[in-house]
């Protein structure tokens, strides 16, 4: 039997928990799958209580919208039952009592009209953020008619993907960004930079979609730039990383990565990035479910160009 690792909770438990909470919401509010059945959901959540309770007990993480509400209800219910602590050991009756309290709270939250309003507000804020980056991209490139775009996936070698936690990824990306911002390590000017951390649905693997837009009159040959990015990524990952050139690996409409870059190709493609909804919990969602506090998973900026 393999020991349970942090990546077990990140890669397997968190996506399952997120989807279950969303199904619970649909059952309560829209009777999806029939009338809401508290006994069914108590039994269902009890099946993997030891797994999801560990996610709720992690002290230094942020979570997606659905898991965050679940965690808040978990901690409040803990205190009501006086079973607080980071080492939670409960018998079946106590665990079921805790689950019942969580379900009561979630049912009240999900049934309130304000909850749907909060979801809509989250989507509006995400749309405004994307629009902000879109305008920044247009501003950075408006005087440049020959654009050279580099789209990359910065990930990890197959032997390391299953043991790489989002905490490792965050540390690697922060160090990568630090080196990228120094001319001594990355002596290239660019018009716009966009990046998004993703979690692949197939195996829970983490990686970063990374895009640079360059002045095509200055940079026609990308080989030196690509080689330096690979060197920096390999350095920060202690040579466990890999770099995939998406310009060569995929073609338009052939891969889900393509749509994530589309908003920064043409104004008419703007809506396509908005469709990458950060509240999406589908099985093919590439959203990161849990991450270290303060870690930026999605941002774009215009910089590093001659004045």
């Amino acid at each position: 039997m393999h020991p349970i690792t942090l990546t077990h909770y990140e890669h397997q438990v968190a996506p399952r928990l997120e989807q279950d909470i969303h199904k619970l919401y649909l059952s309560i509010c829209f009777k999806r799958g029939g009338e809401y059945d508290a006994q069914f959901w108590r039994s269902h959540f009890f099946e993997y209580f030891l797994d999801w309770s560990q996610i709720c007990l992690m002290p230094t993480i942020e979570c997606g919208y659905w898991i965050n509400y679940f965690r808040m209800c978990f901690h409040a219910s803990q205190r009501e039952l006086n079973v607080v602590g980071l080492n939670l050991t409960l018998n079946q009756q106590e665990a079921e009592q805790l689950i019942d309290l969580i379900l009561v709270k979630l049912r009240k939250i999900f049934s309130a009209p304000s909850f749907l309003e909060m979801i809509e507000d989250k989507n509006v804020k995400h749309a405004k953020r994307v629009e902000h980056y879109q305008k920044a991209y247009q501003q950075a490139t408006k005087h440049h008619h020959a654009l050279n775009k580099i789209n990359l996936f910065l990930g990890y070698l197959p032997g390391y993907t299953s043991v790489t936690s989002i905490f490792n990824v965050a540390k690697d990306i922060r160090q990568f960004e630090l080196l990228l911002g120094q001319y001594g390590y990355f002596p290239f000017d660019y018009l716009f930079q966009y990046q998004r951390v993703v979690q692949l649905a197939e195996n829970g693997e983490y990686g970063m979609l990374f895009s640079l837009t360059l002045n095509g009159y200055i940079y026609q040959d990308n080989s030196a730039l690509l080689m330096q990015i690979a060197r920096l990524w390999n350095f920060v990952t202690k040579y466990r990383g890999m770099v995939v050139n998406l310009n060569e690996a995929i073609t338009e409409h052939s891969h889900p990565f393509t749509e994530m870059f589309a908003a920064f190709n043409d104004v008419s493609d703007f809506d396509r990035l908005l469709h990458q909804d950060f509240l999406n919990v589908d099985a093919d969602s590439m959203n990161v479910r849990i991450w270290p506090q303060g870690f930026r998973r999605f941002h774009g900026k215009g910089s590093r160009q001659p004045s």
Side-chain angles (χ1 to χ4, degrees):
M1 182 177 179
H2 296 289
I4 295 177
T5 62
L6 184 58
T7 53
H8 165 73
Y9 300 112
E10 295 177 16
H11 295 181
Q12 300 176 40
V13 181
R16 177 184 178 185
L17 177 61
E18 182 183 65
Q19 291 178 28
D20 281 343
I21 299 168
H22 187 249
K23 290 175 183 175
L24 173 66
Y25 164 72
L26 295 177
S27 173
I28 291 172
C29 294
F30 304 104
K31 295 183 174 55
R32 185 79 59 85
E35 292 286 339
Y36 169 71
D37 185 342
Q39 187 173 352
F40 165 80
W41 285 106
R42 179 203 306 142
S43 176
H44 184 73
F45 281 117
F46 181 75
E47 287 177 6
Y48 65 116
F49 172 79
L50 293 178
D51 278 335
W52 59 254
S53 61
Q54 291 303 309
I55 291 178
C56 292
L57 291 169
M58 291 180 184
T60 59
I61 64 169
E62 295 182 32
C63 305
Y65 195 67
W66 300 102
I67 295 179
N68 188 51
Y69 265 95
F70 191 91
R71 272 167 51 94
M72 288 191 292
C73 293
F74 172 87
H75 289 298
S77 300
Q78 262 191 302
R79 284 163 177 76
E80 288 180 30
L81 293 176
N82 196 27
V83 288
V84 297
L86 295 179
N87 295 315
L88 192 63
T89 303
L90 303 179
N91 59 39
Q92 179 171 346
Q93 182 180 1
E94 291 171 329
E96 289 181 341
Q97 286 179 330
L98 181 62
I99 294 169
D100 284 341
L101 285 176
I102 294 171
L103 290 174
V104 168
K105 296 179 193 306
L106 287 175
R107 188 176 186 184
K108 291 179 180 178
I109 292 170
F110 292 162
S111 299
S114 59
F115 184 75
L116 183 57
E117 293 171 359
M118 283 189 287
I119 291 179
E120 293 173 349
D121 184 58
K122 281 279 185 180
N123 280 325
V124 168
K125 287 181 179 178
H126 170 60
K128 288 182 178 179
R129 189 178 181 191
V130 174
E131 186 176 4
H132 169 75
Y133 293 148
Q134 173 68 9
K135 289 179 178 178
Y137 174 81
Q138 293 171 353
Q139 181 67 25
T141 60
K142 68 179 181 179
H143 299 303
H144 303 273
H145 304 292
L147 299 178
N148 181 2
K149 291 187 61 65
I150 295 175
N151 294 331
L152 305 173
F153 176 74
L154 308 184
Y156 296 83
L157 293 170
Y160 296 101
T161 56
S162 62
V163 295
T164 301
S165 164
I166 188 62
F167 292 88
N168 302 124
V169 176
K171 182 179 178 181
D172 291 343
I173 289 176
R174 284 168 177 152
Q175 189 175 2
F176 176 75
E177 290 174 338
L178 183 65
L179 295 177
L180 203 70
Q182 301 180 45
Y183 270 103
Y185 291 103
F186 193 69
F188 302 93
D189 295 304
Y190 55 82
L191 302 174
F192 194 80
Q193 174 190 336
Y194 163 71
Q195 62 192 58
R196 175 179 172 184
V197 181
V198 297
Q199 183 175 14
L200 304 186
E202 295 80 5
N203 54 12
E205 170 188 354
Y206 294 112
M208 180 169 70
L209 300 174
F210 182 77
S211 177
L212 285 181
T213 302
L214 312 167
N215 185 331
Y217 291 137
I218 298 175
Y219 298 102
Q220 293 91 32
D221 183 353
N222 297 332
S223 56
L225 186 149
L226 292 173
M227 186 176 297
Q228 186 61 10
I229 289 176
R231 285 173 178 163
L232 295 179
W233 183 245
N234 280 324
F235 174 74
V236 300
T237 61
K238 298 178 173 59
Y239 298 93
R240 296 175 298 177
M242 69 171 186
V243 177
V244 178
N245 186 345
L246 298 179
N247 291 353
E248 298 176 355
I250 62 177
T251 58
E252 187 70 15
H253 308 301
S254 68
H255 196 285
F257 286 162
T258 311
E259 291 194 3
M260 294 187 175
F261 291 122
F264 303 113
N265 288 334
D266 187 80
V267 177
S268 63
D269 288 326
F270 175 50
D271 286 340
R272 295 170 65 187
L273 187 61
L274 297 183
H275 293 158
Q276 302 296 325
D277 187 345
F278 272 54
L279 298 179
N280 176 22
V281 297
D282 293 341
D284 61 350
S285 170
M286 287 189 279
N287 293 335
V288 178
R289 276 75 177 190
I290 59 178
W291 58 89
Q293 290 177 343
F295 177 54
R296 294 187 304 177
R297 295 156 294 129
F298 166 57
H299 72 98
K301 64 178 181 178
S303 65
R304 290 292 296 270
Q305 54 181 310
S307 58

